[in-house]
Structure formats: structure tokens, C-alpha cells
Amino acid sequence: MTPHPANPHEIDARPLLEQMLLIRAYEEAIVAGSDAGTIPGTCTSVGQEAAAVGVVNALGADDLILTNHRSAGHLLARGADPGRLLAEVMGRRDGYCKGRSGSLHISVKELGVVLTSTIVGAELSMAPGVALSQGMLGRPGIVACFFGDGAACEGSFHESLNLAALWNLPILYVCENNHWQAFVHRREAMSREHVSEWASSYGIPAHTVDGNDVAAVLAAARVAAEQVRASRRPYLLETWTYRTRGHFEPDDQSYVDPAERAAWLARDPIARCRDRLLADGALNPSQAAAIGDRVATRIHAARAFAEASSYPAADELTRDVYA
Amino acid sequence: MPTLTLYDAIGAALTEEMRRDRHVIAFGEGIATKRHDLVAEFGALRVRNTPLAEGIIAGTAVGAAASGLRPVVDLLFAPFLCYAMDELVNSAGKLRYMSGGQFAFPLVTLAMTGAGWGVGAQHNHNVEAWFVHSPGLKVVMPSSPADAKGLLKAAIRDDNPVLFFIDIGLLYQPGDGPVADEVVPLGKAAIAREGSDVTLVSYGKTVHHCRQAAEALAAEGISAEVIDLRSLKPWDAATVLASVEKTGRLVVVHEANRLCGVGAEIAAVVAEEAFACLKAPIVRLGGPDAPVASSYPLEQAFVPQPEAIVAAARRLCRRQIA
């Protein structure tokens, strides 16, 4: 028996909506700052909020996360402070990585978000070792490894799945198939439609879920995480979603098919979640407005915190190179 | 003192460290096949064979090291490290710094290289300088079984990623056995032979070529000091500088390509720090900018031989800077 409902209809999506709104507002603050020249550009996760929030909320406190450059959703859903994240993006000393990471590789060990890398596929190469430690050191948590369809075309994806299956490693592989591999559409780069199709060749169970339906993602991720936990073996969950902004801010997206993007914008995960909650009567308009106000207040405070944080001193240039 | 080979010394170091620390594990390409004794003592979970997939072996070591284990991985031959460059250079070498010090990567990568087996350039390529040039990594290359054991023990206990290069030509040559449980600190050179006229700095098999050269030079009345670097990063500049301040002459010798090799850094530092002591120009002897051939005479010709070292030292001792 699972401790939480795995039926999407029984899930209370209100806290999930708030997390998604926080992620969207955080990314939009960065986009605005990038446009104004006050914040470095980033790889935003706009459009993919449900895929991140649904999976992260299926994880327990003991579980570990490896992620990549498009990580704001994972970090914020895990409880990262948007102020310290923004400080990191802006290269300030109060950032989670003392300003040495910038946006692309933010790890927050205290939250179990470890070894974030922007090298596409590196998260896949390191996940087996993290899972091996969990098992050999008797730790209960499983390892969730977030990557995209681009990383799935790297050799490290295939090597990682092979080893995880061979060594019985408790890894929940989460492929956020957002259709874009930097500036290349996945249909130009992948021999198959779905990344989940590749898992079966390694004997790894896999499932593709609508990545823009937060309750569906959470339900599927609970099933997947529970299976990894019980079997101590890998599982691959593919969240079918779409990167609605560019690869990296700024990006005019002139290479994007407008019809495809419009179709996905019509399936916006936040609008879908809010509309369903309103339609079901689980949320009324004034409650929805209150959530929006809370999120706006947090992002405003985060921006103020980050801007007030100083830059690292020059003598920190060579600190933390060696242990 | 017992005699043993460098191969045995590595096994002895692994055994002692795995006994000492339950977090030490070993995996790689055939390590469980070749080292039955380790499997017998520590079990199939701590000593594992892997697929021949250097990227995932190294990546797994990186992930494990950051999460509490102390992996030693065997990637067999140094050119295979090309498949593991991202994991070693971008992950192990950088993620401590890039995360603001949140992680440490206590891992050791074993790789063989060098002339001796005629295996050709895709198994024999002395690539150690690549890793010296990459931040966050340490690099060692022993010349004797005793140092191999002591350095490997130190490398396993070190909290940083260490590239441990094994000279193929020395692997099965018996040598003096190390004292039990002796640790050779990283970053400390050894004076293999004392001398006063010229300093010969080397590592790996060419240390032995320098010793042979020093014997021949002694017969000519030239006293050569031989320094075995042992660690290439950090390298023991103090010992090298002290020697050059005494002798006033320096020959740096290694099997790796001379171009941008470790010797270039040593020569530059000596020129910067001890220029006033130099009585003659610094000489670097190293391999050519060419892949290593498999054919025995060509493979040997790649490596600075004792005769070339003698000739270089003799030339330096006969000339003075005006």
C-alpha cells in the first residue's frame, strides 16, 4: 500500500499550484532581469513546472536528486530559498555555491540536491555512484536523476542504465522530454519518439506520463518511486513536456515552429492546474489571488536579498579547489 | 627487505587500505578477475568487475566519492582515459569548487602507460600532463614498488581525486618491498642519488635511466643528483630548487612528449626561481610529438635512454654561462 494516493483525482493540487507559480515567477524575474541587463541569462524551465513539481513531491526527505542546468523547478520544489538561488545566479556570495556556480550547476547538499552538472549527460554518469553509496552505506533513500531528451542521446545515458540494471541500483531516472536539445528539435536527434522506449532494452521498467499535468506526474512518480524503493532497482519515468522559452535567455526562438509552440502553450501546466482547481471548487478566485500574492511577495524579497548580497572577495578565487 | 613487483605492491596497498577503511571499494575493468585475493577477503560488493565503459566507471566513482565511499577504479590503459575525461576533469576536478566546497571527491584512478609491451599508441600514451593542467586533480607516477604502495595508500587516504599512473615497463620488475603500512606523502619527491654537479629530475621508468646515467657520469668524474618526483601534482618544487641551487645545472627527463610536458613546467619554475644559480641552460629530454609505435626499436627510441641523458649532462658540465 502506498502512503499517498497514486490516483491523480485524489491529489490535493493546491500546494503544487503554488510551487509551480513560484517557479514561474522566479524564472520570469530572471528573464526580466536578463532583458534589463541586471541578471545573467539562464536556461529557464518555463513550461516544465509540472514535470519538476510532480516528481519532487513524490520523493522523501532521505531521497537524493541529481539535476542539470534546467534545474530551478527541482530546486524550488525541494524547498530551496529563491533568494539564495537568485544570489547564486547573480554571482553573489550568499548563493548556495558562494557565487561560483551561477545558474547552470546549483547544488544544495543540505536539501539532497547533489552534484548538479551542466555537462549534458553528466548527471547520468554520476547517479550510479550516488546510488551505490546509498546501498553500501545502508542509507534508505533512493536517487532521482533528472535529465532531458538531449542527455538521453549521450552515451552516458546508455552506460548508466546498463550499470544501474546490472548492479541493482535504486535510481529513479526522470527524463523530462521537453522536445528541445539546445537548438535542435528532438525529432532531428532521436531515433525513437520516446526515451522510455530505450529503457526496456536494459530490462528497466518505464512509463511516459503527461508532463504538463501536475497531478498525473505526481501520481506516476509516486508509483515509480515506490517501485524503486521496494525493488532497489532502477525505473525510468518520462515526463512529456515542452520548453516554451528558448534554450538560454535571451533567445528569440526563431527556429521554433510557432504552431507547435502554440499548441503546447495552450496546455500550460499552471493554467491547466488552476482551471481544474477552480472548476472543481477546490480553489476559489480569492484563494487563487492570495497564492499569487504570496508568490509575488517571496520573489520580491528574493530579489532584494540577492541584490543586497555582496560579490565574493578576490581572495576566494582559488578557495575550495582542493579538499 | 622482501622483494615484490609494482603489481603486487598495488595489491598490497589495496588490501591494507580496504582493511583499514570499510569505505574503500575497488572496481574496474577486470579487477575482480585479476585480484582474486581482494574478492576473497572483501567480497564481491567491494571488489567489482565493470563493463569496458570508462565513462560510466569514472562517473560512478565520482558519484560514490561525493557520497561517502572512497573508490579506486582501474581503467587499464591511460589512453582509455579519453573516454573518462568529462567525468574526471569536469565532474571530479571541478564540482567541489563550483559547488562552493559542498563536495569532496576521494577517488583514485589507476591507469597503465609507457613503453615495454609494444602495445602501440592507443594503449601507451603518457598523458599525465593533461591532468596536471586540470584543476582539482592530483597526479602521481611511481618508479618503484615501494613508492607505488606508499603513494597508493596516500592517494586512497587523500580527499581529492588522484590520477595514479603505472609505468608498464616497471610493472613486473621485482624491486625492494616497502615497509608495512608505510605511506609516501603526495607532493614529496625522493632524492634517488645525491650529487653535486648536475641535477637529473624524472619520474617513472626514466628515473632508472637517470640512475644509470649517473653511474656512467660518475666514471667520468661528473657527480649527478637524481630526483624522483613521484608526485607530478602537487610537485615538490622545493626539493628540485634546492638541488639546482647546489648543482647549478638541470636536466629534466620524461617519457611523455616534451611539448608542454611536465618538464616544461619544471624548467619554467627553475628558470623563474633559481635563474641566478644556473651555470648552463636547462635541458629537457622527452618523447617526440608523435604517437608511440608498437615496433620494439621505435618504442624504445621514443623514451630518453641513459646515453642521451649522459650526453646532455656532459654537455652542461662542459659549458659555462659567460
Side-chain angles (χ1 to χ4, degrees):
Chain A
M1 199 184 90
T2 53
H4 301 289
N7 180 341
H9 304 296
E10 296 169 22
I11 286 170
D12 178 4
R14 287 172 298 186
L16 308 179
L17 174 65
E18 183 156 352
Q19 288 180 28
M20 291 196 292
L21 283 165
L22 182 69
I23 295 163
R24 179 72 58 90
Y26 170 87
E27 301 282 38
E28 286 178 344
I30 290 176
V31 170
S34 170
D35 289 346
T38 54
I39 300 179
T42 67
C43 295
T44 79
S45 63
V46 172
Q48 302 176 213
E49 294 86 351
V53 166
V55 175
V56 172
N57 280 270
L59 302 175
D62 291 333
D63 298 333
L64 299 175
I65 292 172
L66 282 92
T67 177
N68 53 71
H69 47 280
R70 217 172 289 286
S71 63
H74 314 130
L75 288 157
L76 288 166
R78 191 66 173 179
D81 172 5
R84 291 193 67 191
L85 290 178
L86 263 184
E88 186 59 47
V89 172
M90 295 170 73
R92 309 301 172 99
R93 69 185 331 157
D94 293 306
Y96 277 110
C97 305
K98 304 178 187 171
R100 302 229 193 85
S101 162
S103 70
L104 296 175
H105 2 62
I106 301 177
S107 295
V108 185
K109 191 180 180 185
E110 69 205 59
L111 296 175
V113 182
V114 300
L115 301 175
T116 308
S117 174
T118 188
I119 301 289
V120 171
E123 67 286 67
L124 286 155
S125 76
M126 295 184 283
V130 177
L132 184 68
S133 288
Q134 293 295 93
M136 291 192 73
L137 298 175
R139 298 174 185 149
I142 66 169
V143 174
C145 179
F146 289 91
F147 59 99
D149 44 301
C153 296
E154 292 270 6
S156 60
F157 167 81
H158 300 273
E159 294 182 22
S160 184
L161 264 65
N162 180 48
L163 196 70
L166 194 65
W167 285 6
N168 296 322
L169 299 174
I171 303 175
L172 173 56
Y173 289 103
V174 185
C175 180
E176 294 174 332
N177 189 331
N178 71 4
H179 293 59
W180 286 100
Q181 309 188 358
F183 303 105
V184 177
H185 196 280
R186 62 160 180 78
R187 69 175 165 262
E188 287 187 68
M190 278 180 66
S191 60
R192 309 293 293 174
E193 180 90 343
H194 288 290
V195 173
S196 58
E197 295 175 61
W198 282 332
S200 63
S201 24
Y202 301 101
I204 294 177
H207 178 65
T208 300
V209 64
D210 177 354
N212 281 22
D213 179 339
V214 72
V217 174
L218 175 56
R222 279 180 178 158
V223 170
E226 210 50 48
Q227 187 161 334
V228 174
R229 220 177 291 287
S231 67
R232 308 306 288 179
R233 285 184 53 77
Y235 185 105
L236 190 147
L237 179 66
E238 178 180 36
T239 50
W240 190 249
T241 184
Y242 196 82
R243 189 191 81 199
T244 56
R245 291 198 63 87
H247 171 53
F248 192 88
E249 299 299 326
D251 178 345
D252 65 9
Q253 294 180 280
S254 56
Y255 53 91
V256 174
D257 173 6
E260 181 183 81
R261 181 162 176 267
W264 279 95
L265 284 170
R267 304 181 63 240
D268 181 75
I270 294 176
R272 281 172 77 187
C273 179
R274 183 169 40 210
D275 292 351
R276 188 185 297 161
L277 284 167
L278 290 168
D280 291 350
L283 192 72
N284 64 42
S286 70
Q287 289 168 324
I291 292 175
D293 289 345
R294 277 202 299 274
V295 164
T297 302
R298 284 190 73 189
I299 294 301
H300 184 77
R303 180 90 198 249
F305 173 84
E307 284 171 352
S309 177
S310 57
Y311 285 105
D315 68 358
E316 291 179 38
L317 181 65
T318 55
R319 208 173 291 167
D320 295 325
V321 180
Y322 296 94
Chain B
M1 199 177 269
T3 62
L4 83 174
T5 65
L6 202 148
Y7 178 85
D8 295 330
I10 289 167
L14 283 168
T15 301
E16 288 177 14
E17 292 307 300
M18 291 183 78
R19 278 180 194 155
R20 198 181 70 85
D21 184 349
R22 69 182 179 90
H23 298 97
V24 178
I25 61 171
F27 54 93
E29 302 180 352
I31 194 166
T33 306
K34 289 183 292 184
R35 297 195 184 271
H36 287 296
D37 50 333
L38 291 181
V39 182
E41 181 166 352
F42 303 107
L45 290 180
R46 286 182 69 189
V47 185
R48 299 172 186 235
N49 281 335
T50 62
L52 300 180
E54 293 76 18
I56 198 64
I57 298 169
T60 299
V62 172
S67 333
L69 295 174
R70 305 185 82 84
V72 179
V73 293
D74 188 348
L75 298 186
L76 289 185
F77 292 94
F80 304 175
L81 294 176
C82 291
Y83 265 133
M85 285 306 271
D86 175 58
E87 292 76 6
L88 295 172
V89 173
N90 285 322
S91 296
K94 296 179 184 171
L95 286 180
R96 174 176 178 76
Y97 182 83
M98 294 175 72
S99 68
Q102 294 182 69
F103 309 103
F105 299 94
L107 69 96
V108 180
T109 301
L110 304 175
M112 296 184 285
T113 186
W117 291 359
V119 286
Q122 291 179 345
H123 287 74
N124 169 16
H125 184 178
N126 284 54
V127 296
E128 54 273 10
W130 295 354
F131 298 96
V132 173
H133 197 66
S134 295
L137 306 176
K138 295 186 177 181
V139 184
V140 302
M141 190 161 181
S143 70
S144 72
D147 280 350
K149 185 179 170 207
L151 284 170
L152 183 53
K153 288 168 71 72
I156 291 170
R157 295 181 195 188
D158 199 273
D159 284 334
N160 298 286
V162 180
L163 277 293
F164 193 100
F165 289 101
I166 299 162
D167 196 319
I168 291 170
L170 304 176
L171 192 59
Y172 293 112
Q173 288 184 12
D176 288 340
V179 178
D181 219 36
E182 187 178 10
V183 174
V184 174
L186 304 184
K188 186 79 190 117
I191 296 177
R193 177 190 174 109
E194 290 197 18
S196 54
D197 295 327
V198 59
T199 300
L200 310 178
V201 174
S202 192
Y203 58 89
K205 76 160 64 67
T206 46
V207 169
H208 302 284
H209 295 185
C210 288
R211 284 177 189 264
Q212 291 168 40
E215 288 289 332
L217 288 163
E220 299 179 19
I222 294 173
S223 168
E225 180 146 293
V226 179
I227 295 177
D228 181 354
L229 280 181
R230 306 195 290 195
S231 289
L232 309 183
K233 188 181 185 181
W235 67 278
D236 189 352
T239 294
V240 172
L241 288 168
S243 179
V244 174
E245 281 162 14
K246 177 172 67 175
T247 63
R249 300 175 185 91
L250 175 63
V251 182
V252 191
V253 185
H254 54 58
E255 184 171 346
N257 294 9
R258 208 176 84 114
L259 184 65
C260 290
V262 168
E265 176 67 15
I266 293 166
V269 168
V270 169
E272 285 171 343
E273 304 290 329
F275 187 75
C277 305
L278 289 172
K279 299 169 185 163
I282 298 165
V283 172
R284 290 178 292 141
L285 299 177
D289 179 28
V292 184
S294 180
S295 167
Y296 181 80
L298 290 180
E299 188 192 48
Q300 293 301 307
F302 194 98
V303 185
Q305 298 295 338
E307 301 72 32
I309 302 167
V310 167
R314 193 189 287 138
R315 230 171 25 244
L316 292 189
C317 291
R318 286 187 183 158
R319 70 178 283 180
Q320 302 287 325
I321 294 175

